[in-house]
């Protein structure tokens, strides 16, 4: 039986079609190239090779986007009709769990599979993104530790594992180790998206916006070439460095240019421009009609049933574009989801619904109500997924609500928290100064 670049058996393939499969997995995991086109080419060469369909289904399922999930289910059904080996059946089983909303069970299934197939690069990357959906990146650190003894630096994909571990270390607060892994990964794979992403996160979380802009400028040919599929998110990070330095016009220029030009029609990706506009909006920056222009892009990409993280940013867009009725309808759908059973129901019930209620209260100027809803969620908000940098928008909103509501103790406490991690941020200093001015 033909084997892939990491030595895993591939059913129904030929050396030529498996080479296309390897190219596709590499393109997907480093974020450079067109993995879907390569998988289509592999399937055309070997119609009976299920891995071409399975890999494509995973790529479409990982973002938990309603439109893409429908396509993934079709591909999984077609793959299941072919002859499968044990590895391929395991990948399909974990995929089914993800598509059914059972994200924890999906990652657990992938972890069990990786004990038997520690060099399955697709499974590692799918589990890594599963951690992202669940807000528990440190799990990646342990999973990579279990697998690395079976890899060597010359095994194709080794750099991807280093980058994934580095990102997990960053989310766990081990910034020096995280940068070491990311830089080592870039030395092996210069275009590796998650390595550049990890370094930007380290610079963001350690309060070095100037260094972040310098890193971005120096390495932009690597992470923002024509073949860099996820560059929109790194442009978003670049815009945040400008916001932290009080350079609002520069942030808006990036929004109007590379952020919107490279954003993908996926819920998780559409969160970036919404998050940037929300930050600028709360700082009093005039964003013009950008909210109205962003709203149509959300159609079909956040349904109140799939992922709270996307629903939050879609609701922000609906509210600030002047379409409160859409946000209320979204909240109603989320409440219906919360009344159901299973993993999504618990997430929407315990976190999603009160979170959106808090966002709506903030939009309407009901700042005390916003505080009462968002403050108790702080210990649970990791459950909506994403990174610390992405979820910071919730603490940011809570801080502004405390300031506008005259809640001096809370506003000052939150400002102290923010300054402890990022003392160079002009925004954090501004929050502190405004909190000091509230009458005791």
């Amino acid at each position: 039986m033909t084997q892939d670049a990491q030595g895993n058996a591939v059913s129904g393939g030929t050396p030529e079609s498996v080479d296309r499969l390897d190219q596709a997995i590499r393109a997907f995991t480093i974020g450079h190239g067109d993995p879907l086109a390569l998988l289509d080419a592999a399937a055309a060469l070997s119609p009976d090779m299920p891995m071409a369909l399975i890999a494509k289904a995973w790529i479409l399922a990982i973002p938990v986007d309603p439109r893409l999930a429908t396509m993934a289910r079709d591909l999984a059904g077609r793959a299941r009709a072919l002859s499968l080996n044990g590895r391929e059946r395991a990948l399909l089983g974990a995929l089914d769990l993800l598509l059914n909303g059972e994200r924890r069970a999906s990652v657990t299934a992938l972890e069990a599979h990786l004990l038997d197939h520690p060099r399955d690069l697709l499974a590692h990357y799918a589990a890594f993104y599963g951690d992202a959906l669940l807000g528990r990146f440190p799990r990646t650190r342990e999973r990579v530790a279990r697998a690395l003894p079976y890899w060597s630096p010359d095994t194709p994909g080794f750099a991807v594992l280093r980058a994934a571990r580095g990102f997990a270390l960053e989310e766990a607060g081990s910034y020096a180790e995280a940068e070491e892994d990311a830089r080592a990964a870039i030395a092996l794979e210069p275009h590796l998206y998650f390595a550049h992403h990890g370094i930007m996160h380290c610079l963001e979380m350690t309060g070095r916006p100037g260094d972040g802009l310098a890193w971005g400028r120096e390495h932009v040919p690597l992470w923002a070439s024509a073949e860099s599929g996820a560059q929109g998110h790194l442009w978003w990070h670049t815009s945040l460095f400008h916001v932290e330095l009080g350079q609002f016009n520069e942030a808006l220029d990036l929004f109007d240019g590379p952020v919107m030009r490279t954003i993908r029609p996926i819920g998780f990706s559409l969160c970036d421009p919404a998050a940037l506009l929300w930050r600028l909006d709360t700082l009093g920056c005039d964003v013009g009609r950008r909210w109205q222009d962003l709203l149509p892009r959300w159609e079909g990409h956040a349904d109140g049933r799939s992922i709270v993280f996307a629903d939050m940013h879609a609701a922000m867009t609906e509210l600030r574009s002047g379409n409160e009725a859409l946000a209320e309808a979204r909240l109603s759908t989320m409440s219906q989801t919360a009344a159901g059973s299973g993993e999504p129901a618990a997430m929407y019930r315990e976190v999603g619904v009160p979170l959106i209620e808090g966002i709506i209260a903030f939009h309407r100027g009901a700042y005390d109500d916003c505080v009462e809803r968002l403050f108790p969620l702080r210990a649970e908000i990791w459950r909506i997924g994403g990174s610390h940098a992405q979820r910071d928008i919730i603490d940011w909103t809570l801080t502004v609500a405390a300031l506008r509501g005259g809640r001096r103790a809370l506003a000052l406490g939150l400002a102290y928290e923010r300054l402890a991690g990022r003392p160079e941020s002009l925004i954090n200093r501004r929050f502190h100064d405004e909190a000091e001015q509230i009458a005791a």
Side-chain angles (χ1 to χ4, degrees):
M1 187 176 288
T2 311
Q3 293 185 335
D4 65 15
Q6 290 78 34
N8 301 293
V10 179
S11 303
T14 65
E16 186 179 7
S17 61
V18 173
D19 179 63
R20 293 288 194 286
L21 174 67
D22 287 334
Q23 292 178 43
I25 299 301
R26 177 178 178 271
F28 174 52
T29 56
I30 72 169
H32 189 75
D34 190 343
L36 297 181
L38 288 164
L39 289 170
D40 287 343
L45 288 167
S46 293
D48 293 328
M49 182 174 67
M51 274 306 300
L53 301 172
I54 293 170
K56 187 173 181 179
W58 267 109
I59 292 172
L60 295 175
I62 280 171
V64 193
D65 182 279
R67 287 185 178 180
L68 300 184
T70 300
M71 299 165 63
R73 289 188 181 93
D74 176 67
L75 289 163
R78 289 164 54 193
R80 197 168 283 108
L82 301 176
S83 178
L84 304 167
N85 63 31
R87 174 206 178 201
E88 292 153 357
R89 284 193 295 272
L91 287 171
L92 273 177
L95 176 64
D96 288 340
L97 291 168
L98 175 62
L99 291 171
N100 289 331
E102 299 178 62
R103 293 159 203 163
R104 291 193 299 268
S106 177
V107 175
T108 298
L110 288 169
E111 290 190 329
H113 165 69
L114 284 165
L115 292 174
D116 295 323
H117 298 83
R119 291 192 302 274
D120 189 333
L121 184 58
L122 177 62
H124 275 291
Y125 212 60
F128 174 65
Y129 267 101
D131 289 335
L133 292 172
L134 294 165
R136 55 185 201 189
F137 277 112
R139 287 285 291 272
T140 294
R141 178 183 53 191
E142 283 75 40
R143 189 165 52 248
V144 172
R146 292 194 296 269
L148 274 182
Y150 299 93
W151 291 69
S152 65
D154 59 354
T155 305
F158 177 81
V160 175
L161 264 67
R162 286 291 301 268
R165 183 178 67 179
F167 200 87
L169 287 166
E170 178 275 323
E171 287 296 292
S174 300
Y175 301 116
E177 293 175 86
E179 283 199 47
E180 181 181 345
D181 264 345
R183 293 176 190 275
I186 290 171
L188 293 169
E189 282 280 14
H191 293 285
L192 210 164
Y193 160 75
F194 251 105
H196 292 282
H197 190 196
I199 289 177
M200 285 194 175
H201 266 262
C202 288
L203 298 173
E204 165 75 14
M205 298 308 295
T206 55
R208 292 178 283 165
D211 292 343
L213 291 176
W215 169 269
R217 283 193 297 268
E218 181 181 352
H219 295 88
V220 69
L222 298 177
W223 58 261
S225 72
E227 293 186 84
S228 301
Q231 62 175 288
H233 187 63
L234 299 190
W235 284 118
W236 174 75
H237 274 286
T238 305
S239 72
L240 291 191
F241 291 136
H242 283 298
V243 172
E244 293 291 339
L245 292 169
Q247 299 168 354
F248 301 161
N249 288 335
E250 289 84 346
L252 282 174
D253 285 344
L254 287 180
F255 178 95
D256 294 333
V259 170
M260 293 303 293
R261 186 176 64 247
T262 61
I263 214 72
R264 294 176 293 173
I266 298 171
F268 241 106
S269 189
L270 289 165
C271 292
D272 291 344
L276 175 57
L277 288 184
W278 184 268
R279 284 171 169 83
L280 292 170
D281 225 345
T282 59
L283 294 170
C285 180
D286 182 2
V287 301
R289 290 192 52 79
R290 291 176 178 87
W291 283 117
Q292 288 81 359
D293 294 340
L294 179 61
L295 180 64
R297 298 211 185 198
W298 273 105
E299 186 176 355
H301 295 295
D303 61 3
R305 301 180 180 89
S306 303
I307 182 164
V308 170
F309 188 86
D311 283 313
M312 174 180 69
H313 290 86
M316 289 174 171
T317 306
E318 291 158 352
L319 292 166
R320 301 309 289 167
S321 65
N323 291 271
E324 288 192 31
L326 292 178
E328 289 286 0
R330 177 176 304 284
L331 180 59
S332 177
T333 301
M334 292 172 67
S335 297
Q336 293 171 20
T337 303
S341 59
E343 186 178 320
M347 171 64 67
Y348 277 90
R349 182 171 56 251
E350 296 165 14
V351 182
V353 169
L355 172 59
I356 300 305
E357 289 174 341
I359 295 297
I360 292 174
F362 180 90
H363 168 74
R364 292 175 174 168
Y367 299 120
D368 282 343
D369 189 19
C370 175
V371 167
E372 295 308 312
R373 294 182 188 279
L374 295 190
F375 186 74
L377 293 180
R378 297 189 80 208
E380 300 296 323
I381 209 64
W382 60 271
R383 295 169 56 192
I384 72 172
S387 65
H388 289 303
Q390 289 174 307
R391 294 191 301 270
D392 180 58
I393 196 169
I394 299 164
D395 267 347
W396 178 297
T397 303
L398 177 61
T399 302
V400 176
L403 288 168
R404 293 182 182 178
R407 307 282 288 264
R408 188 179 194 276
L410 176 59
L412 199 54
L414 293 170
Y416 285 145
E417 280 186 29
R418 301 183 70 83
L419 282 169
R422 285 167 283 185
E424 293 183 33
S425 167
L426 294 182
I427 303 305
N428 292 342
R429 293 180 194 172
R430 170 175 163 174
F431 289 159
H432 171 266
D433 292 346
E434 290 181 6
E436 287 276 19
Q437 293 171 17
I438 298 173

